[in-house]
């Protein structure tokens, strides 16, 4: 496959996204050209992708000075402490205002390195080189760079545009199969809330992952771009209509945070979408076909059963994380409520009083829906019930 050249638009900002399969030499040339006037680049890489990083940094070092900072990309490291460690390393290695930071890894690395780039000298150039589906198809298609605080997920961050996004789809194919599928939960979310008409295209690409991985990954990436771009052109900070992409994240983030990362991001968001569907059914008459579509798409991801991991979740920690959700303040919300994106039909978010796709829901009701989903999915598994969506 040849290198595809697309530009993402965030308001008046244009960000080049370059991607293809087995295109590393072209990507190196693209990064080098983009950083032609840089005096150095600090590559912040997930330790798990050090082989990919080496194949990028060695030829890149022929063009400019390369420094490397490795990070264990676990949820516990998505913190200001990691950001500070990167900043201190950058200054020790004499990076300047002309330097750049290149983030190579999944969403955790992208967020930590992205926030470091936003803060170093009040902003140095940032290049994203995503190596996971959740990063390539969703996280980098955003200006948000954020980390966690002890109270909850993504409570500290900045809006900061990268100068370039560069992805070799071959990197994504090396992710373990289970992580590959759960990482595609963000894509299922985009189908449910933004482009329901692309459901068959998404299902077809998912079923082709094993036999035609490069073509399927390209198709999934392009669905991700096409779903988000119309919203981000006019809402680059995702505070208005683009809040819809928080679907499944209120409960998902709470579960992920309360589990200390034992439940991964993609899996947690998938469970969060099932809870949102149950709440949509109860509160706004979401039809059963759409509820079943949620279960069908999440089943397609090969999610592990909730089982004991969910029964062992600290409910008090989940409650605390829900009430600290970072959407609080966008609209009126009582102390015992949380703002959520809910649907009353495929691609039809319920609008709050201010027109945003956010509505307040009592936390007790959210926890009740979570319990219902956990019991219901367990019953489905026990009975051998299968979704109508092909696997």
């Amino acid at each position: 496959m040849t290198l595809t050249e697309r530009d993402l638009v965030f308001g008046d900002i244009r960000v080049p996204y370059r991607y293809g399969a087995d295109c590393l030499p072209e990507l190196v040339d693209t990064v080098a050209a983009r950083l032609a006037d840089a005096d150095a680049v600090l590559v912040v890489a997930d330790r798990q992708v050090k082989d990919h990083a080496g194949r990028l940094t060695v030829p890149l070092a022929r063009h400019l000075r390369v420094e490397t900072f490795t990070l264990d990309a676990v949820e516990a490291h998505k913190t200001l402490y990691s950001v500070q460690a990167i900043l201190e390393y950058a200054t020790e290695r004499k990076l300047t205002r002309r330097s750049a930071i290149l983030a190579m890894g999944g969403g955790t690395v992208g967020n930590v390195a992205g926030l470091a780039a936003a803060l170093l000298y009040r902003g140095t150039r940032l290049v994203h080189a995503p190596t996971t589906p959740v990063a390539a198809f969703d996280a980098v298609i955003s200006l948000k760079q954020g980390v966690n605080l002890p109270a909850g997920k993504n409570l500290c961050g900045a809006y900061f545009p990268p100068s370039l996004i560069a992805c070799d789809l071959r990197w994504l194919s090396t992710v373990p199969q289970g992580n590959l599928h759960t990482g595609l939960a963000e894509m299922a979310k985009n189908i449910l809330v933004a482009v329901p008409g692309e459901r068959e295209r998404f299902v077809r690409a998912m079923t082709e992952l094993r036999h035609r991985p490069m073509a399927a990954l390209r198709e999934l990436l392009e669905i991700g771009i096409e779903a988000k771009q119309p919203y981000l052109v006019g809402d680059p900070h995702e505070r208005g209509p683009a809040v819809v992409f928080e679907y499944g994240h209120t409960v998902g983030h709470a579960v992920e945070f309360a589990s200390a990362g034992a439940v991964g991001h993609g899996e947690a968001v998938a469970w969060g979408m099932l809870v949102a569907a149950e709440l949509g059914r109860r509160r706004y008459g979401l039809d059963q076909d759409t509820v079943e579509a949620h279960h069908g798409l999440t089943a397609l991801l090969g999610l592990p059963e909730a089982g004991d991991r969910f029964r062992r979740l600290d409910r008090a920690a989940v409650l605390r994380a829900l009430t600290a959700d970072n959407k609080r303040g966008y609209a009126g919300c009582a102390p015992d409520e949380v703002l959520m994106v809910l649907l009353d039909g495929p691609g039809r978010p319920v609008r709050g009083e201010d027109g945003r796709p956010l509505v307040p829901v009592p936390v007790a009701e959210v926890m009740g829906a979570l319990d219902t989903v956990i019991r219901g999915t367990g019953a489905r598994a026990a009975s051998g019930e299968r979704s109508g969506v092909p696997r």
Side-chain angles (χ1 to χ4, degrees), residues 63-366:
H63 300 272
L64 76 167
R65 178 167 65 95
V66 176
E67 303 288 349
T68 303
F69 181 99
T70 56
L71 180 72
D72 289 317
V74 295
E75 189 69 11
H77 289 167
K78 191 180 174 183
T79 64
L80 285 170
Y81 294 107
S82 296
V83 174
Q84 181 174 344
I86 293 169
L87 295 173
E88 290 179 352
Y89 186 86
T91 54
E92 288 170 4
R93 297 292 172 162
K94 308 300 183 187
L95 266 70
T96 73
R97 294 177 184 273
R98 288 178 50 215
S99 303
I101 290 179
L102 187 152
M104 189 166 193
T108 295
V109 168
N111 272 276
V112 171
L115 185 55
L119 295 175
L120 184 63
Y121 305 121
R122 299 187 181 90
T124 55
R125 279 172 289 185
L126 170 66
V127 175
H128 279 307
T131 63
T132 68
V134 71
F137 303 165
D138 191 80
V140 300
I141 309 175
S142 174
L143 301 184
K144 294 190 293 186
Q145 321 292 340
V147 299
N148 305 335
L149 294 178
K153 286 274 296 180
N154 296 335
L155 299 183
C156 180
Y159 296 97
F160 190 70
S163 296
L164 173 69
I165 306 168
C167 178
D168 189 330
L169 296 171
R170 186 65 62 182
W171 298 334
L172 312 185
S173 70
T174 64
V175 173
Q177 193 71 17
N179 293 345
L180 177 67
H181 278 187
T182 56
L184 289 163
E186 294 280 7
M187 292 296 303
K189 170 209 68 182
N190 292 347
I191 297 297
L192 292 165
V193 301
V195 285
E198 299 291 352
R199 181 182 170 195
E200 289 187 9
R201 181 182 171 198
F202 171 72
V203 170
R204 185 169 57 250
M206 287 289 292
T207 57
E208 290 178 349
L209 272 172
R210 188 178 298 276
H211 306 293
R212 300 175 63 242
M214 294 301 99
L217 289 167
R218 177 186 286 270
E219 188 79 353
L220 289 165
L221 187 153
E222 292 178 350
I223 293 172
I225 292 174
E226 291 162 16
K228 297 190 77 171
Q229 266 291 270
Y231 290 82
L232 298 177
V233 169
D235 185 18
H237 289 171
E238 301 178 56
R239 292 172 172 163
V243 170
V244 74
F245 295 110
E246 289 289 310
Y247 191 63
H249 282 62
T250 305
V251 170
H253 277 169
V255 167
E256 182 184 8
F257 190 75
S259 75
V263 180
H265 179 75
E267 181 187 351
V269 167
W271 288 108
M273 290 191 292
L274 296 181
V275 174
E278 175 64 16
L279 289 167
R281 183 189 67 79
R282 294 180 182 183
R283 296 173 65 89
Y284 300 105
L286 184 65
D287 62 278
Q288 191 60 31
D289 284 348
T290 304
V291 173
E292 287 301 316
H294 282 67
H295 284 277
L297 289 179
T298 54
L300 189 66
L301 302 173
L303 293 175
E305 293 178 25
D308 289 340
R309 293 181 310 133
F310 278 75
R311 284 188 283 273
R312 288 197 302 265
L313 271 179
D314 184 339
R315 291 179 65 86
V318 176
L319 282 165
R320 286 194 299 272
L322 281 172
T323 55
D325 185 80
N326 64 6
K327 293 183 289 300
R328 185 170 292 276
Y330 276 144
C333 187
D336 62 345
E337 294 178 327
V338 63
L339 291 170
M340 294 187 69
V341 179
L342 297 179
L343 302 177
D344 62 12
R348 293 206 316 261
V350 180
R351 303 286 172 180
E353 293 181 357
D354 64 354
R356 284 192 181 99
L358 286 172
V359 291
V361 183
V363 172
E365 192 174 337
V366 176

